[in-house]
Amino acid sequence: MQTVLQNLSFSLNATIPVFLMMVFGGLMKKVNLLDDHTTGKLNQFVFKALLPALLFMDLSQADFRSVWDGKFVLFCFCATFLSIGIAFLLSLPRKNWSERGEIIQASYRSSAAILGIAFVNNIYGHATMAALMIVGTVPLYNVAAVLILSLTAPHDGEKPSARKLLLRTLRDVATNPIILGILAGMLWSVLKIPQPVILQKSVSYLGNMATPLALIALGASFQLKSAKGKLGLTLGISAVKLFLFCGLFLPAAVWLGFRTEKLIAILIMLGSATTCSCFVMAKNMKHEGTITACAVMMTTLLSAFSLTMWLFVLKSLGYI
């Protein structure tokens, strides 16, 4: 009983503050401390500067060579790839292509980098496997998101030709700040380039601002009127994000022999809340963002309870 309460307390401590930051952003909009123009610029700042700095900070400081587990990284990659495919199939009933892109991204992208390290570190005192999980998932998360959001983005005027669409998609992938931040962080880690204290502190200042500012911008951008009629869709995305993928891939992870820290990292990869960077990316790639904002808020609220349930199941079965 004590373990259950501890897990519940940790999950609530990890998720409720995130939800409250979004509420705070909404309140700032209500009292006119933030307007649409400022919020738009804030979204661009987070997308183009802060999130790349956060991912560079996480990946550049991970010692991959000493703890590399190819089987684990490959499983994380394959489970993520299959999750994207399942999300795509589940989005097919929607006729609106722009909405379909938001549904796919919100269904498969987790708070792997932000929540994963904190969650694993809290339980085991270190987050080595969470770093490896990030290697297997975060690059694929972002490459797939750029492709999906670019291919389903609303078009001004005539629909572009297949060649123009392909060129635009490739350009978006090659110039995406988040992907560039990931590549720089991985290269820095593999080459073991030393980080001067000045650089380390400066990057950490930027990275630490990413999550709160992204959440504030999300809350300020969220419009309740636009969310009307989206509750059923949002609950569907939440069910897929928090329960379906865990139910499909956790048994496979157990069968392959993953236990303790690795299994917790996989749980976070599969069943944590939709990351707020989904909203930032959707808005910056010309999508409305309402579905994504609703999904982030709903999964953030519900994940406190769903993660606790999965932890309780895994602990009761002796896998963690």
Side-chain angles (χ1 to χ4, degrees):
M1 184 64 183
Q2 185 177 2
T3 302
V4 176
L5 293 176
Q6 288 175 345
N7 290 336
L8 177 61
S9 175
F10 172 78
S11 297
L12 291 173
N13 288 335
T15 55
I16 297 302
V18 173
F19 185 76
L20 291 178
M21 288 299 290
M22 289 186 265
V23 174
F24 177 76
L27 290 175
M28 293 301 97
K29 179 76 175 292
K30 281 285 187 182
V31 298
N32 295 320
L33 286 178
L34 288 174
D35 56 21
D36 291 335
H37 175 74
T38 305
T39 302
K41 289 295 183 182
L42 193 58
N43 271 318
Q44 291 182 28
F45 178 53
V46 172
F47 178 71
K48 295 180 179 179
L50 300 187
L51 284 176
L54 173 64
L55 290 167
F56 174 82
M57 179 179 68
D58 287 338
L59 293 173
S60 64
Q61 297 175 7
D63 184 8
F64 298 127
R65 290 184 177 181
S66 62
V67 295
W68 182 260
D69 185 335
K71 178 183 174 182
F72 174 71
V73 174
L74 182 62
F75 176 85
C76 292
F77 180 89
C78 291
T80 301
F81 185 81
L82 291 173
S83 297
I84 295 170
I86 293 170
F88 170 76
L89 293 175
L90 293 175
S91 73
L92 290 178
R94 305 293 294 193
K95 295 181 179 180
N96 186 307
W97 269 84
S98 180
E99 288 187 357
R100 191 181 295 178
E102 289 195 53
I103 292 168
I104 297 170
Q105 187 196 203
S107 296
Y108 78 80
R109 286 189 72 182
S110 299
S111 302
I114 296 172
L115 183 59
I117 288 178
F119 205 96
V120 176
N121 187 68
N122 183 73
I123 297 174
Y124 293 104
H126 55 88
T128 307
M129 290 302 110
L132 288 184
M133 178 267 289
I134 288 172
V135 173
T137 58
V138 170
L140 180 57
Y141 276 168
N142 289 282
V143 170
V146 172
L147 288 171
I148 291 165
L149 293 176
S150 180
L151 289 170
T152 60
H155 305 293
D156 297 326
E158 294 183 4
K159 188 174 181 179
S161 65
R163 182 176 178 274
K164 288 183 178 179
L165 188 60
L166 177 61
L167 290 175
R168 188 187 71 178
T169 302
L170 292 174
R171 182 198 64 202
D172 289 341
V173 172
T175 61
N176 185 272
I178 293 177
I179 293 176
L180 294 176
I182 290 171
L183 292 176
M186 292 178 68
L187 183 63
W188 201 285
S189 174
V190 170
L191 296 179
K192 293 189 175 180
I193 302 173
Q195 288 194 25
V197 175
I198 294 175
L199 173 64
Q200 190 173 358
K201 285 191 174 182
S202 298
V203 174
S204 67
Y205 288 154
L206 291 173
N208 291 334
M209 285 193 293
T211 300
L213 284 182
L215 293 170
I216 291 172
L218 191 159
S221 302
F222 181 73
Q223 296 183 4
L224 189 60
K225 291 181 180 179
S226 300
K228 289 183 179 179
K230 298 285 193 298
L231 180 60
L233 178 59
T234 305
L235 287 174
I237 292 172
S238 301
V240 171
K241 184 75 209 64
L242 304 178
F243 296 101
L244 178 62
F245 292 151
C246 288
L248 289 175
F249 297 113
L250 279 178
V254 170
W255 180 74
L256 288 170
F258 297 123
R259 298 289 187 273
T260 59
E261 185 186 352
K262 293 179 182 178
L263 201 55
I264 293 295
I266 291 171
L267 170 62
I268 297 302
M269 174 191 78
L270 295 170
S272 62
T274 300
T275 179
C276 59
S277 60
C278 284
F279 173 77
V280 177
M281 188 175 286
K283 289 292 289 184
N284 278 272
M285 297 185 72
K286 301 180 180 179
H287 287 258
E288 183 181 283
T290 302
I291 293 174
T292 307
C294 292
V296 171
M297 297 182 79
M298 184 67 73
T299 56
T300 297
L301 183 62
L302 297 180
S303 64
F305 307 99
S306 62
L307 284 176
T308 301
M309 183 205 76
W310 288 115
L311 280 171
F312 178 74
V313 170
L314 295 175
K315 185 71 172 177
S316 299
L317 294 174
Y319 296 135
I320 60 175

